Amino acid sequence: MPTLSLPVSNLLRNKESFKRLIAHFKYSHTRSGIWTVNASTPWISSSRGPKSALVSRRQVPVGQLTAGNMSTSSREDKTSWLWSVYNETKQQTQDLIPVISNNFVNPDTIFANNQMSLQDIEIYGFDYDYTLAFYSSHLHTLIFNIARDILIDEHRYPEGLKEYDYMPNFVIRGLHYDVQKALLMKIDAFHYIQLGTVYRGLNPVPEKEVIAMYEGSHVPLEIMSDFYGKSSQGHTMKQFMDIFSLPEMTLLSCVNDYFMKHNIDYEPVHLYKDVKEAIGDVHVRGIMYRAVEADIEKYICYGEQTHAVLRKLSKNGKKMFLITNSPFDFVPFRRVTDKGVLLWDRIHHLEKGQIYKQGNLYEFLRLTGWRGSKVLYFGDHIYSDLADLTLKHGWRTGAIIPELRKEIKIMNTEEYVHTMTWLQALTALLEQMQVHQDPASQTVIQQWINEREEMRLRTKDIFNAQFGSLFRTYHNPTYFSRRLSRFADIYMASLSCLLNYDLQHTFYPRRTPLQHESPIWPEQTSTGAMNIPFQSHRTTTGSE
């Protein structure tokens, strides 16, 4: 059984490491502007000498550290003083790296946005694609190739498009596409474009050009997709939230790239609609499903752990159902025979073990009476799978985010830990030292700003060279993360994560300090991501 990561157990073994981390944490988050440098601090043992002393919150405002506080106000001494602070901070940060590096987050953790107890859940519901069933990377290549050929054969697009193959690492989920400008980009939770992630075709758009087009980097609310991610008239920004949308974004980029390379004049809106229709045809016409059925082993990842989850729920007397998206218009449920034939009789209730087709969510709720927080539904699409269920019907929701596993593994690497720790410390240093406006100080500070920008780019590229992390821009949460936190009570990499928790478990979200709150505890990882074997925090029940 894997273990989960928690800083507490390791830190408590080493009192000095714990004290240093607390002091560093307070330093990184304070906004009081009152600090001294190289001061003796009660957090640090004097036996370690002055090199161990963290910059600590004391009595003297940074703005007052001028001639009166330094031995000389000369240009050279001012520059030397700033660099000494820089070097001291960097050394202290490096000393913390081993402590932080020992506290990795386990990718099999379930993370909570909202407090929820499995003890209250009586009914478990599931989406199918990328929730119960996972597909191999071959499926996206298949979708891309079929849709590309539909464009050529049925929409009379150039034969030269066959030169393009699917690129599995080009895009990420959650991106926005400006239909009128033919631009693919990542937007943060505050509607700001992450500069450096705007692409026209397969090439990045210079930051100055982006700022000129949007008169800054903010995207107005009126052109964004609506609350549920749907585009309507006047909403020119389409957000791609579905895992199946990765081939669609890649195909859009490739066709744009071909037209630009060959100086072909085209209407971006028509291109978007044609690609959307071609991708839709792959699903609606059943082309993809027939291909998958013909070679299941190639396209379907066998879900042995998924079976184990379902068996566990069944053993514990939980009700379960599988439901997919229904048409918007109201259509009553119809019973289906084992041969797929639709029956004509009226449905008054749903029977265990039977399969039903058509219908919609409201009809499902009427027939089952399954409302409120006793139902937990899992899906991968934050809008179509989860939004209505939690907002209108009070169901508890669990988001399946397969990308989470890869991103956590990256965050656990020594390179990422080292870069992010120093990036946070340098940012705090810049925030405090910006009060020094003399030319000598500004020259030094500008070098720090340049270093910080290089690290920000590096932390983006480590996830995806074009668009970075699914969950963050350089610092802010992404628009995707904002919706994830709003519509999902819990989220995880796969349904199999449930195997690590008993069915009495309560998930508690972290109390992340607000900007005006002083941190009380260095909550670097979720409580659920503790460095304790899962067995140690299980409760023993007769059903386990």
Side-chain angles (χ1 to χ4, degrees), residues 54-97:
L54 287 168
V55 179
S56 58
R57 187 173 178 177
R58 304 288 285 181
Q59 306 271 327
V60 184
V62 165
Q64 296 176 12
L65 290 175
T66 55
N69 303 106
M70 296 185 294
S71 60
T72 176
S73 60
S74 68
R75 177 189 179 97
E76 293 79 9
D77 284 355
K78 187 68 172 289
T79 298
S80 298
W81 175 74
L82 286 170
W83 281 113
S84 70
V85 176
Y86 170 94
N87 290 328
E88 181 74 13
T89 304
K90 193 165 191 176
Q91 181 60 54
Q92 293 155 5
T93 302
Q94 290 173 346
D95 291 343
L96 289 171
I97 296 296

Side-chain angles (χ1 to χ4, degrees), residues 134-376:
F134 276 82
Y135 300 95
S136 71
S137 58
H138 297 294
L139 184 64
H140 287 172
T141 300
L142 174 71
I143 295 172
F144 178 91
N145 290 341
I146 295 174
R148 178 200 60 199
D149 293 345
I150 289 175
L151 287 178
I152 295 171
D153 298 337
E154 300 182 22
H155 294 268
R156 302 173 62 188
Y157 275 63
E159 288 280 341
L161 287 176
K162 289 190 175 180
E163 299 173 1
Y164 290 87
D165 295 318
Y166 180 63
M167 297 172 286
N169 297 316
F170 181 68
V171 297
I172 62 172
R173 191 155 54 122
L175 298 179
H176 281 79
Y177 184 76
D178 191 322
V179 175
Q180 294 182 344
K181 295 181 174 68
L183 297 176
L184 191 63
M185 67 191 73
K186 188 165 77 170
I187 296 177
D188 73 12
F190 302 96
H191 292 199
Y192 281 90
I193 300 167
Q194 181 179 2
L195 297 176
T197 69
V198 180
Y199 275 71
R200 181 183 288 114
L202 302 177
N203 297 301
V205 180
E207 293 182 8
K208 289 184 178 180
E209 187 177 341
V210 174
I211 292 172
M213 282 189 290
Y214 291 96
E215 298 181 344
S217 60
H218 184 263
V219 179
L221 179 64
E222 58 266 21
I223 71 170
M224 296 285 287
S225 54
D226 66 15
F227 189 71
Y228 294 96
K230 298 177 181 178
S231 296
S232 58
Q233 187 174 3
H235 295 161
T236 62
M237 283 285 189
K238 157 71 177 177
Q239 188 180 19
F240 292 99
M241 298 291 278
D242 193 349
I243 298 178
F244 280 130
S245 67
L246 297 177
E248 182 176 356
M249 286 186 279
T250 306
L251 185 57
L252 270 170
S253 300
C254 289
V255 179
N256 275 309
D257 183 73
Y258 181 89
F259 285 166
M260 289 186 297
K261 279 184 177 179
H262 294 83
N263 296 316
I264 299 175
D265 188 25
Y266 68 102
E267 171 52 57
V269 175
H270 297 332
L271 168 60
Y272 168 74
K273 291 181 178 179
D274 288 345
V275 170
K276 181 181 180 180
E277 182 179 336
I279 290 288
D281 285 343
V282 176
H283 298 272
V284 174
R285 296 181 186 179
I287 303 172
M288 181 190 79
Y289 301 106
R290 288 193 295 272
V292 170
E293 289 174 356
D295 197 346
I296 291 179
E297 291 186 359
K298 180 178 180 180
Y299 296 109
I300 300 289
C301 298
Y302 180 64
E304 182 175 349
Q305 289 185 311
T306 299
H307 293 166
V309 171
L310 299 180
R311 287 195 298 268
K312 179 177 180 177
L313 296 177
S314 177
K315 179 183 176 182
N316 283 272
K318 304 299 181 181
K319 298 177 182 178
M320 291 176 282
F321 64 92
L322 168 67
I323 190 169
T324 59
N325 294 331
S326 300
F328 178 76
D329 295 331
F330 178 82
V331 181
F333 277 103
R334 296 182 65 180
R335 194 190 309 273
V336 183
T337 68
D338 56 359
K339 295 183 180 180
V341 178
L342 291 171
L343 301 179
W344 50 264
D345 56 325
R346 182 186 295 274
I347 304 300
H348 295 283
H349 64 275
L350 302 183
E351 299 177 8
K352 182 178 179 180
Q354 295 297 316
I355 300 173
Y356 300 87
K357 190 176 180 180
Q358 299 179 0
N360 59 40
L361 180 60
Y362 287 95
E363 184 73 356
F364 179 80
L365 293 173
R366 184 186 69 80
L367 292 170
T368 62
W370 291 347
R371 298 177 182 275
S373 57
K374 66 182 179 181
V375 184
L376 172 57

